[in-house]
PDB file of all heavy atoms in Angstrom:
ATOM      1  N   THR A 616       1.220   0.124  -8.736  1.00 94.00           N
ATOM      2  CA  THR A 616       1.803   1.322  -9.342  1.00 94.00           C
ATOM      3  C   THR A 616       2.794   1.975  -8.385  1.00 94.00           C
ATOM      4  O   THR A 616       2.755   1.706  -7.183  1.00 94.00           O
ATOM      5  CB  THR A 616       0.664   2.387  -9.649  1.00 94.00           C
ATOM      6  OG1 THR A 616      -0.057   2.668  -8.462  1.00 94.00           O
ATOM      7  CG2 THR A 616      -0.259   1.902 -10.736  1.00 94.00           C
ATOM      8  N   ILE A 617       3.628   2.796  -8.909  1.00 93.00           N
ATOM      9  CA  ILE A 617       4.613   3.538  -8.131  1.00 93.00           C
ATOM     10  C   ILE A 617       3.922   4.841  -7.710  1.00 93.00           C
ATOM     11  O   ILE A 617       3.308   5.536  -8.538  1.00 93.00           O
ATOM     12  CB  ILE A 617       5.833   3.903  -8.966  1.00 93.00           C
ATOM     13  CG1 ILE A 617       6.581   2.567  -9.322  1.00 93.00           C
ATOM     14  CG2 ILE A 617       6.781   4.866  -8.204  1.00 93.00           C
ATOM     15  CD1 ILE A 617       7.768   2.773 -10.211  1.00 93.00           C
ATOM     16  N   GLU A 618       3.908   5.093  -6.417  1.00 89.00           N
ATOM     17  CA  GLU A 618       3.212   6.261  -5.887  1.00 89.00           C
ATOM     18  C   GLU A 618       4.112   7.064  -5.011  1.00 89.00           C
ATOM     19  O   GLU A 618       5.011   6.546  -4.339  1.00 89.00           O
ATOM     20  CB  GLU A 618       1.977   5.826  -5.030  1.00 89.00           C
ATOM     21  CG  GLU A 618       0.948   5.002  -5.793  1.00 89.00           C
ATOM     22  CD  GLU A 618       0.286   5.775  -6.863  1.00 89.00           C
ATOM     23  OE1 GLU A 618       0.146   7.008  -6.770  1.00 89.00           O
ATOM     24  OE2 GLU A 618      -0.153   5.125  -7.894  1.00 89.00           O
ATOM     25  N   GLN A 619       3.904   8.395  -4.998  1.00 84.00           N
ATOM     26  CA  GLN A 619       4.639   9.234  -4.084  1.00 84.00           C
ATOM     27  C   GLN A 619       4.112   8.922  -2.693  1.00 84.00           C
ATOM     28  O   GLN A 619       2.898   8.818  -2.480  1.00 84.00           O
ATOM     29  CB  GLN A 619       4.379  10.725  -4.364  1.00 84.00           C
ATOM     30  CG  GLN A 619       5.666  11.421  -4.715  1.00 84.00           C
ATOM     31  CD  GLN A 619       5.439  12.873  -5.089  1.00 84.00           C
ATOM     32  OE1 GLN A 619       4.396  13.275  -5.584  1.00 84.00           O
ATOM     33  NE2 GLN A 619       6.447  13.652  -4.843  1.00 84.00           N
ATOM     34  N   ASN A 620       5.005   8.723  -1.718  1.00 78.00           N
ATOM     35  CA  ASN A 620       4.575   8.270  -0.418  1.00 78.00           C
ATOM     36  C   ASN A 620       4.068   9.424   0.485  1.00 78.00           C
ATOM     37  O   ASN A 620       3.351   9.206   1.452  1.00 78.00           O
ATOM     38  CB  ASN A 620       5.664   7.440   0.317  1.00 78.00           C
ATOM     39  CG  ASN A 620       6.903   8.221   0.531  1.00 78.00           C
ATOM     40  OD1 ASN A 620       6.856   9.441   0.753  1.00 78.00           O
ATOM     41  ND2 ASN A 620       8.022   7.543   0.474  1.00 78.00           N
ATOM     42  N   ASN A 621       4.480  10.629   0.267  1.00 70.00           N
ATOM     43  CA  ASN A 621       4.023  11.789   1.035  1.00 70.00           C
ATOM     44  C   ASN A 621       4.248  11.639   2.543  1.00 70.00           C
ATOM     45  O   ASN A 621       3.410  12.080   3.348  1.00 70.00           O
ATOM     46  CB  ASN A 621       2.592  12.109   0.727  1.00 70.00           C
ATOM     47  CG  ASN A 621       2.375  12.500  -0.746  1.00 70.00           C
ATOM     48  OD1 ASN A 621       3.143  13.262  -1.262  1.00 70.00           O
ATOM     49  ND2 ASN A 621       1.410  11.881  -1.376  1.00 70.00           N
ATOM     50  N   PHE A 622       5.313  10.987   2.988  1.00 68.00           N
ATOM     51  CA  PHE A 622       5.574  10.924   4.381  1.00 68.00           C
ATOM     52  C   PHE A 622       5.811  12.358   4.932  1.00 68.00           C
ATOM     53  O   PHE A 622       6.424  13.180   4.266  1.00 68.00           O
ATOM     54  CB  PHE A 622       6.880  10.111   4.681  1.00 68.00           C
ATOM     55  CG  PHE A 622       6.702   8.641   4.496  1.00 68.00           C
ATOM     56  CD1 PHE A 622       7.768   7.869   4.039  1.00 68.00           C
ATOM     57  CD2 PHE A 622       5.516   8.010   4.817  1.00 68.00           C
ATOM     58  CE1 PHE A 622       7.611   6.509   3.914  1.00 68.00           C
ATOM     59  CE2 PHE A 622       5.399   6.619   4.713  1.00 68.00           C
ATOM     60  CZ  PHE A 622       6.446   5.889   4.213  1.00 68.00           C
ATOM     61  N   LEU A 627      12.047   8.688   4.147  1.00 70.00           N
ATOM     62  CA  LEU A 627      13.113   7.722   3.864  1.00 70.00           C
ATOM     63  C   LEU A 627      13.278   7.569   2.399  1.00 70.00           C
ATOM     64  O   LEU A 627      14.314   7.233   1.875  1.00 70.00           O
ATOM     65  CB  LEU A 627      12.817   6.385   4.501  1.00 70.00           C
ATOM     66  CG  LEU A 627      12.563   6.414   6.048  1.00 70.00           C
ATOM     67  CD1 LEU A 627      12.138   5.047   6.526  1.00 70.00           C
ATOM     68  CD2 LEU A 627      13.883   6.866   6.727  1.00 70.00           C
ATOM     69  N   CYS A 628      12.217   7.792   1.663  1.00 77.00           N
ATOM     70  CA  CYS A 628      12.244   7.732   0.209  1.00 77.00           C
ATOM     71  C   CYS A 628      11.056   8.525  -0.307  1.00 77.00           C
ATOM     72  O   CYS A 628      10.142   8.903   0.420  1.00 77.00           O
ATOM     73  CB  CYS A 628      12.117   6.248  -0.258  1.00 77.00           C
ATOM     74  SG  CYS A 628      10.556   5.459   0.267  1.00 77.00           S
ATOM     75  N   LEU A 629      11.106   8.803  -1.622  1.00 83.00           N
ATOM     76  CA  LEU A 629      10.038   9.624  -2.200  1.00 83.00           C
ATOM     77  C   LEU A 629       8.906   8.729  -2.824  1.00 83.00           C
ATOM     78  O   LEU A 629       7.771   9.206  -2.926  1.00 83.00           O
ATOM     79  CB  LEU A 629      10.623  10.500  -3.320  1.00 83.00           C
ATOM     80  CG  LEU A 629      11.598  11.509  -2.837  1.00 83.00           C
ATOM     81  CD1 LEU A 629      12.227  12.231  -3.968  1.00 83.00           C
ATOM     82  CD2 LEU A 629      10.968  12.525  -1.880  1.00 83.00           C
ATOM     83  N   TRP A 630       9.222   7.539  -3.149  1.00 86.00           N
ATOM     84  CA  TRP A 630       8.283   6.706  -3.899  1.00 86.00           C
ATOM     85  C   TRP A 630       8.123   5.331  -3.197  1.00 86.00           C
ATOM     86  O   TRP A 630       8.996   4.890  -2.509  1.00 86.00           O
ATOM     87  CB  TRP A 630       8.823   6.465  -5.312  1.00 86.00           C
ATOM     88  CG  TRP A 630       9.164   7.719  -6.026  1.00 86.00           C
ATOM     89  CD1 TRP A 630      10.418   8.267  -6.135  1.00 86.00           C
ATOM     90  CD2 TRP A 630       8.278   8.645  -6.592  1.00 86.00           C
ATOM     91  NE1 TRP A 630      10.325   9.447  -6.778  1.00 86.00           N
ATOM     92  CE2 TRP A 630       9.033   9.727  -7.069  1.00 86.00           C
ATOM     93  CE3 TRP A 630       6.891   8.712  -6.779  1.00 86.00           C
ATOM     94  CZ2 TRP A 630       8.484  10.840  -7.740  1.00 86.00           C
ATOM     95  CZ3 TRP A 630       6.326   9.780  -7.429  1.00 86.00           C
ATOM     96  CH2 TRP A 630       7.146  10.838  -7.904  1.00 86.00           C
ATOM     97  N   SER A 631       7.003   4.726  -3.451  1.00 86.00           N
ATOM     98  CA  SER A 631       6.787   3.385  -2.886  1.00 86.00           C
ATOM     99  C   SER A 631       6.089   2.511  -3.976  1.00 86.00           C
ATOM    100  O   SER A 631       5.457   3.055  -4.891  1.00 86.00           O
ATOM    101  CB  SER A 631       5.909   3.428  -1.645  1.00 86.00           C
ATOM    102  OG  SER A 631       4.645   3.970  -1.955  1.00 86.00           O
ATOM    103  N   LEU A 632       6.295   1.241  -3.837  1.00 90.00           N
ATOM    104  CA  LEU A 632       5.702   0.259  -4.714  1.00 90.00           C
ATOM    105  C   LEU A 632       5.193  -0.849  -3.802  1.00 90.00           C
ATOM    106  O   LEU A 632       6.017  -1.542  -3.184  1.00 90.00           O
ATOM    107  CB  LEU A 632       6.738  -0.253  -5.699  1.00 90.00           C
ATOM    108  CG  LEU A 632       6.295  -1.422  -6.623  1.00 90.00           C
ATOM    109  CD1 LEU A 632       5.333  -0.845  -7.709  1.00 90.00           C
ATOM    110  CD2 LEU A 632       7.481  -2.068  -7.270  1.00 90.00           C
ATOM    111  N   ASN A 633       3.900  -0.993  -3.705  1.00 87.00           N
ATOM    112  CA  ASN A 633       3.343  -1.967  -2.845  1.00 87.00           C
ATOM    113  C   ASN A 633       2.494  -3.001  -3.617  1.00 87.00           C
ATOM    114  O   ASN A 633       1.492  -2.654  -4.188  1.00 87.00           O
ATOM    115  CB  ASN A 633       2.443  -1.296  -1.751  1.00 87.00           C
ATOM    116  CG  ASN A 633       3.261  -0.423  -0.859  1.00 87.00           C
ATOM    117  OD1 ASN A 633       4.277  -0.800  -0.345  1.00 87.00           O
ATOM    118  ND2 ASN A 633       2.784   0.806  -0.708  1.00 87.00           N
ATOM    119  N   SER A 688       2.832   4.816 -14.358  1.00 96.00           N
ATOM    120  CA  SER A 688       3.198   5.379 -13.056  1.00 96.00           C
ATOM    121  C   SER A 688       4.707   5.631 -12.947  1.00 96.00           C
ATOM    122  O   SER A 688       5.152   6.600 -12.337  1.00 96.00           O
ATOM    123  CB  SER A 688       2.718   4.470 -11.892  1.00 96.00           C
ATOM    124  OG  SER A 688       3.454   3.256 -11.808  1.00 96.00           O
ATOM    125  N   LEU A 689       5.458   4.761 -13.571  1.00 96.00           N
ATOM    126  CA  LEU A 689       6.926   4.923 -13.565  1.00 96.00           C
ATOM    127  C   LEU A 689       7.284   6.183 -14.367  1.00 96.00           C
ATOM    128  O   LEU A 689       8.127   6.980 -13.910  1.00 96.00           O
ATOM    129  CB  LEU A 689       7.580   3.678 -14.197  1.00 96.00           C
ATOM    130  CG  LEU A 689       9.098   3.737 -14.351  1.00 96.00           C
ATOM    131  CD1 LEU A 689       9.770   3.924 -12.999  1.00 96.00           C
ATOM    132  CD2 LEU A 689       9.603   2.432 -15.032  1.00 96.00           C
ATOM    133  N   ARG A 691       5.433   8.851 -14.791  1.00 94.00           N
ATOM    134  CA  ARG A 691       5.066  10.028 -14.000  1.00 94.00           C
ATOM    135  C   ARG A 691       6.123  10.293 -12.933  1.00 94.00           C
ATOM    136  O   ARG A 691       6.497  11.468 -12.698  1.00 94.00           O
ATOM    137  CB  ARG A 691       3.697   9.780 -13.315  1.00 94.00           C
ATOM    138  CG  ARG A 691       2.521  10.006 -14.236  1.00 94.00           C
ATOM    139  CD  ARG A 691       1.173  10.077 -13.479  1.00 94.00           C
ATOM    140  NE  ARG A 691       0.942   8.894 -12.676  1.00 94.00           N
ATOM    141  CZ  ARG A 691       0.385   7.782 -13.126  1.00 94.00           C
ATOM    142  NH1 ARG A 691      -0.027   7.661 -14.376  1.00 94.00           N
ATOM    143  NH2 ARG A 691       0.175   6.756 -12.327  1.00 94.00           N
ATOM    144  N   ALA A 692       6.632   9.216 -12.309  1.00 92.00           N
ATOM    145  CA  ALA A 692       7.642   9.424 -11.230  1.00 92.00           C
ATOM    146  C   ALA A 692       8.901  10.028 -11.896  1.00 92.00           C
ATOM    147  O   ALA A 692       9.529  10.961 -11.379  1.00 92.00           O
ATOM    148  CB  ALA A 692       7.967   8.084 -10.566  1.00 92.00           C
ATOM    149  N   GLU A 693       9.333   9.439 -13.021  1.00 93.00           N
ATOM    150  CA  GLU A 693      10.571   9.870 -13.679  1.00 93.00           C
ATOM    151  C   GLU A 693      10.482  11.331 -14.197  1.00 93.00           C
ATOM    152  O   GLU A 693      11.461  12.057 -14.227  1.00 93.00           O
ATOM    153  CB  GLU A 693      10.934   8.941 -14.830  1.00 93.00           C
ATOM    154  CG  GLU A 693      11.383   7.605 -14.384  1.00 93.00           C
ATOM    155  CD  GLU A 693      11.627   6.670 -15.549  1.00 93.00           C
ATOM    156  OE1 GLU A 693      10.988   6.811 -16.615  1.00 93.00           O
ATOM    157  OE2 GLU A 693      12.485   5.746 -15.368  1.00 93.00           O
ATOM    158  N   GLU A 694       9.254  11.756 -14.511  1.00 94.00           N
ATOM    159  CA  GLU A 694       9.075  13.067 -15.056  1.00 94.00           C
ATOM    160  C   GLU A 694       8.793  14.112 -14.044  1.00 94.00           C
ATOM    161  O   GLU A 694       8.512  15.301 -14.366  1.00 94.00           O
ATOM    162  CB  GLU A 694       7.948  13.065 -16.119  1.00 94.00           C
ATOM    163  CG  GLU A 694       8.329  12.194 -17.347  1.00 94.00           C
ATOM    164  CD  GLU A 694       7.142  11.945 -18.282  1.00 94.00           C
ATOM    165  OE1 GLU A 694       5.986  12.354 -17.925  1.00 94.00           O
ATOM    166  OE2 GLU A 694       7.359  11.271 -19.316  1.00 94.00           O
ATOM    167  N   THR A 695       8.815  13.801 -12.766  1.00 89.00           N
ATOM    168  CA  THR A 695       8.577  14.741 -11.695  1.00 89.00           C
ATOM    169  C   THR A 695       9.687  15.797 -11.716  1.00 89.00           C
ATOM    170  O   THR A 695      10.877  15.452 -11.615  1.00 89.00           O
ATOM    171  CB  THR A 695       8.501  14.046 -10.327  1.00 89.00           C
ATOM    172  OG1 THR A 695       7.482  13.071 -10.337  1.00 89.00           O
ATOM    173  CG2 THR A 695       8.234  15.060  -9.236  1.00 89.00           C
ATOM    174  N   PRO A 696       9.316  17.066 -11.793  1.00 91.00           N
ATOM    175  CA  PRO A 696      10.380  18.125 -11.811  1.00 91.00           C
ATOM    176  C   PRO A 696      11.177  18.083 -10.513  1.00 91.00           C
ATOM    177  O   PRO A 696      10.621  17.855  -9.399  1.00 91.00           O
ATOM    178  CB  PRO A 696       9.571  19.412 -11.925  1.00 91.00           C
ATOM    179  CG  PRO A 696       8.260  19.020 -12.516  1.00 91.00           C
ATOM    180  CD  PRO A 696       7.978  17.599 -11.977  1.00 91.00           C
ATOM    181  N   GLN A 699      10.061  19.673  -7.294  1.00 82.00           N
ATOM    182  CA  GLN A 699       8.923  19.111  -6.598  1.00 82.00           C
ATOM    183  C   GLN A 699       9.278  17.931  -5.712  1.00 82.00           C
ATOM    184  O   GLN A 699       8.408  17.290  -5.120  1.00 82.00           O
ATOM    185  CB  GLN A 699       7.827  18.743  -7.580  1.00 82.00           C
ATOM    186  CG  GLN A 699       7.144  19.887  -8.259  1.00 82.00           C
ATOM    187  CD  GLN A 699       6.043  19.433  -9.206  1.00 82.00           C
ATOM    188  OE1 GLN A 699       5.606  18.286  -9.185  1.00 82.00           O
ATOM    189  NE2 GLN A 699       5.624  20.363 -10.058  1.00 82.00           N
ATOM    190  N   LEU A 700      10.568  17.550  -5.718  1.00 79.00           N
ATOM    191  CA  LEU A 700      11.022  16.442  -4.932  1.00 79.00           C
ATOM    192  C   LEU A 700      11.515  16.933  -3.541  1.00 79.00           C
ATOM    193  O   LEU A 700      12.110  17.998  -3.481  1.00 79.00           O
ATOM    194  CB  LEU A 700      12.180  15.751  -5.661  1.00 79.00           C
ATOM    195  CG  LEU A 700      11.811  15.151  -7.011  1.00 79.00           C
ATOM    196  CD1 LEU A 700      13.073  14.639  -7.694  1.00 79.00           C
ATOM    197  CD2 LEU A 700      10.772  14.037  -6.864  1.00 79.00           C
ATOM    198  N   GLY A 704      14.406  12.735   0.818  1.00 59.00           N
ATOM    199  CA  GLY A 704      13.768  11.500   0.390  1.00 59.00           C
ATOM    200  C   GLY A 704      14.695  10.535  -0.257  1.00 59.00           C
ATOM    201  O   GLY A 704      15.583  10.675  -0.935  1.00 59.00           O
TER     202      GLY A 704
END
Side-chain angles (χ1 to χ4, degrees):
T616 54
I617 294 175
E618 300 295 331
Q619 240 177 332
N620 60 32
N621 297 314
F622 285 146
L627 303 175
C628 61
L629 297 173
W630 309 98
S631 62
L632 175 73
N633 296 311
S688 71
L689 178 59
R691 281 191 304 274
E693 290 176 331
E694 293 169 359
T695 302
Q699 291 181 15
L700 299 173

